[in-house]
Amino acid sequence: MTGSILIVDDDPVQRRLVEAALTKFGHTPIVTDGGEAGLDVLDGPNARDVSVVILDLVMPGLDGIGVLKAMRERAINIPVIVQTAQGGIETVVSAMRHGAFDFVVKPASPDRLQTAISNALKVEAVEDEMKRASRRRGGGHLTFKDMITRSPAMDRVIRLGQKAAASTIPILIEGESGVGKELVARAIQGSGDRRSKPFVTVNCGAIPDNLVESILFGHEKGSFTGATEKHTGKFVEANSGTLFLDEIGDLPLDVQVKLLRAVQEGEVDPVGGRSTVKVDIRLISATHRNLLQQVKDGKFREDLFYRLNVYPIFVPPLRDRRDDIPYLVRYFMEKVAPADPRRRLAGISASALAMLQAYDWPGNIRQLENAVFRASVLAEGDVLTEEEFPQIRAQVEGTVNLRAEPASAVAETVAEEIRQDDVADTMEAALFDGEAPARPQPRFGTLRALDERGNVRALADVELEMIKLAIDHYNGQMSEVARRLGIGRSTLYRKLKEYGIDPEAGRVDRLAS
């Protein structure tokens, strides 16, 4: 039985229309007249009963985007269907970037609304099954060998992380939201001496200011209104293990003082406590903010910054590691399979993959995972196409060839690895059983350095083979081919002419043996 559906809309007529449609289809609506009232429900005791939110974007006071931001900050992971009379692409993009599941334009037909709700419930059901399966398999140790990457920028992250794992110095992981900062932190913990000890995570940006100190350092019973029981705090929970403070740039200044002492002295002061508590922790912090700029602006203590920034690691955004996208897509597709055993996706089309690689991913890997997860659950066929990514297609259409043949080298590789390698299952086993499989190797092709007699091949022969490989790999997209080869487009077209390659078709007219 599905839960209730929360309607957040300031227009009384629209509220009644949506409420009537939901009741007709057998849903239980909860009606609120604005953003603040909607958030009150999501923060209240009945929040667990809400399965879907139908959210108006244009409202006085706290608008729809504000509600989406607040939900993300508070880690409220309920699918949101946004609706508005302003149906421009920029509105769609803004809503989707802030975590909306689907988008309908007012006045939405009851059938369109029901389709959006059904899709949201279907995705939520599969996601819940994935979480239950993860809990059944128990916890394990994540290491750097489990990270899916072919990027030189990420190789540097891995090297730094491996060195950091061998020490106990404080680490500051920097990078945009969604790049995988917690994944790096877990790999550091799983590769060091504290791998079997607790790993405690705190999202500093999701804690109300008046509770930060209590959650971090603990409190005694009766130390403040509502403190009916003693609470040990995250520092004590992480004792002998690793404490990961995510979004540390959001900590209030008064709490930063106590955090500095905890880092310096290895002891914490519970709220209302009469004595300090000694702790032995490995501290890893993370932020998407520019902490140095916050220091200059007086929002972050300079002495704490230098205590935390002993060993900085910067995780690059996904747009700077586009070569990782095919492997990440394959892994995310495979994660869905155990939760939906009725069918197994055979792969992804070359045009869809090219489209995903062309997109800038402002939400980084988290956004890519959500997009692939949604597409995998809702796909009608056994191959993902660009039709399964409508919002992304709307943003990149015209920049890539969406009519590319589906049997490209990239698409075939992804589909083949999904069918044959079961790499994602192996990685899941590694995550929960502690095994450490080698990272899968790409199969896009290699170049021979020596000829049949063992002599080094001529540069012209190697260059021709490289150009042919690049054209095939990037589906004849000459701008991308030139960029990847590190040459200008005019130089590329000149070489194509020299080697007998048709620039228009992107095909080889005269194949050299």
Side-chain angles (χ1 to χ4, degrees):
M1 182 178 178
T2 60
S4 304
I5 297 179
L6 176 63
I7 303 170
V8 184
D9 198 317
D10 67 308
D11 185 342
V13 175
Q14 185 65 27
R15 289 199 304 268
R16 287 196 296 270
L17 289 174
V18 175
E19 183 180 10
L22 297 184
T23 303
K24 176 183 176 182
F25 287 114
H27 302 297
T28 302
I30 300 175
V31 182
T32 59
D33 60 2
E36 291 87 353
L39 278 180
D40 288 342
V41 173
L42 295 176
D43 283 333
N46 297 325
R48 292 185 177 182
D49 297 333
V50 179
S51 294
V52 179
V53 178
I54 298 178
L55 175 67
D56 187 23
L57 281 185
V58 181
M59 297 182 291
L62 186 65
D63 64 5
I65 297 298
V67 172
L68 288 169
K69 288 180 178 178
M71 289 179 65
R72 184 167 60 182
E73 290 172 356
R74 302 176 193 186
I76 301 174
N77 299 314
I78 299 174
V80 178
I81 300 167
V82 297
Q83 58 173 358
T84 183
Q86 302 174 7
I89 184 60
E90 290 187 2
T91 308
V92 177
V93 171
S94 178
M96 294 302 172
R97 281 186 175 180
H98 287 91
F101 174 83
D102 205 348
F103 187 96
V104 296
V105 178
K106 291 182 180 180
S109 69
D111 289 340
R112 172 66 182 93
L113 202 56
Q114 173 62 7
T115 298
I117 293 171
S118 298
N119 288 341
L121 293 174
K122 183 179 179 182
V123 169
E124 186 183 36
V126 175
E127 189 172 37
D128 288 344
E129 177 56 33
M130 289 172 61
K131 291 178 181 177
R132 286 193 294 270
S134 296
R135 286 195 294 266
R136 287 195 297 267
R137 279 176 284 193
H141 309 309
L142 179 69
T143 71
F144 289 102
K145 291 183 179 180
D146 301 316
M147 297 183 70
I148 303 171
T149 181
R150 302 291 176 280
S151 165
M154 282 302 295
D155 285 342
R156 182 176 184 276
V157 171
I158 292 173
R159 289 196 305 272
L160 289 173
Q162 288 171 334
K163 291 180 180 179
S167 70
T168 59
I169 59 176
I171 298 170
L172 178 63
I173 304 176
E174 301 172 289
E176 297 177 6
S177 296
V179 294
K181 296 188 289 293
E182 183 176 346
L183 183 70
V184 174
R186 288 185 178 274
I188 291 173
Q189 189 256 3
S191 303
D193 295 337
R194 301 186 183 223
R195 64 177 64 90
S196 60
K197 303 298 183 180
F199 182 92
V200 178
T201 299
V202 181
N203 186 343
C204 300
I207 308 175
D209 287 356
N210 61 325
L211 294 179
V212 173
E213 188 174 348
S214 170
I215 289 175
L216 287 180
F217 308 119
H219 64 253
E220 295 294 329
K221 181 179 178 180
S223 57
F224 56 87
T225 303
T228 58
E229 299 290 339
K230 179 180 179 179
H231 175 63
T232 57
K234 297 298 183 180
F235 268 81
V236 176
E237 286 181 32
N239 190 37
S240 78
T242 301
L243 178 64
F244 176 60
L245 298 181
D246 197 9
E247 300 304 346
I248 198 166
D250 293 338
L251 278 180
L253 281 169
D254 58 334
V255 179
Q256 293 177 25
V257 178
K258 297 194 72 173
L259 176 59
L260 178 62
R261 180 183 178 186
V263 175
Q264 288 178 327
E265 308 297 335
E267 58 186 27
V268 297
D269 293 309
V271 178
R274 296 182 178 180
S275 60
T276 61
V277 179
K278 284 286 185 181
V279 290
D280 171 25
I281 62 165
R282 170 66 182 276
L283 183 62
I284 303 178
S285 308
T287 182
H288 74 282
R289 302 184 185 277
N290 185 336
L291 284 190
L292 190 57
Q293 184 60 49
Q294 284 198 285
V295 170
K296 295 177 180 178
D297 294 340
K299 297 179 181 178
F300 202 85
R301 291 181 61 94
E302 184 176 12
D303 47 6
L304 178 59
F305 170 74
Y306 288 113
R307 277 287 179 178
L308 300 177
N309 195 40
V310 177
Y311 194 96
I313 298 176
F314 174 74
V315 184
L318 187 56
R319 61 182 172 273
D320 292 342
R321 41 181 294 207
R322 297 179 193 267
D323 288 344
D324 287 345
I325 290 177
Y327 301 99
L328 291 167
V329 168
R330 177 208 55 210
Y331 175 54
F332 296 144
M333 289 171 64
E334 189 69 13
K335 281 182 68 176
V336 179
D340 191 3
R342 293 169 297 179
R343 63 183 180 87
R344 182 184 177 95
L345 289 169
I348 181 170
S349 71
S351 56
L353 198 54
M355 179 181 70
L356 297 182
Q357 287 185 290
Y359 184 50
D360 275 346
W361 298 106
N364 293 293
I365 297 176
R366 184 185 297 122
Q367 184 187 7
L368 174 64
E369 179 177 13
N370 291 341
V372 173
F373 174 70
R374 182 182 189 276
S376 299
V377 174
L378 300 180
E380 297 294 333
D382 60 356
V383 174
L384 294 185
T385 69
E386 63 270 16
E387 300 297 331
E388 275 73 56
F389 304 92
Q391 290 82 23
I392 295 171
R393 180 178 183 176
Q395 296 175 70
V396 304
E397 198 161 20
T399 65
V400 296
N401 180 15
L402 297 183
R403 296 185 177 88
E405 291 296 325
S408 73
V410 175
E412 287 181 342
T413 298
V414 172
E416 180 186 356
E417 290 183 350
I418 289 175
R419 289 193 301 267
Q420 296 182 2
D421 283 352
D422 279 336
V423 173
D425 286 343
T426 303
M427 289 184 174
E428 286 285 355
L431 182 58
F432 295 107
D433 297 329
E435 298 174 7
R439 283 182 277 166
Q441 297 302 314
R443 302 178 182 178
F444 292 156
T446 57
L447 296 179
R448 291 183 296 109
L450 305 178
D451 61 19
E452 293 79 1
R453 297 183 180 182
N455 297 318
V456 175
R457 297 174 64 197
L459 281 177
D461 294 337
V462 176
E463 181 181 64
L464 171 59
E465 192 171 328
M466 177 63 80
I467 292 175
K468 288 158 56 178
L469 180 65
I471 290 175
D472 180 63
H473 185 73
Y474 295 108
N475 309 314
Q477 299 171 46
M478 294 307 176
S479 296
E480 184 70 5
V481 170
R483 189 172 73 86
R484 294 295 179 178
L485 291 176
I487 59 177
R489 287 192 64 179
S490 59
T491 302
L492 173 61
Y493 278 99
R494 177 176 56 79
K495 290 182 179 293
L496 292 175
K497 185 175 181 180
E498 291 175 359
Y499 289 122
I501 299 176
D502 181 4
E504 297 299 325
R507 300 293 183 184
V508 178
D509 290 335
R510 176 175 53 81
L511 298 179
S513 59

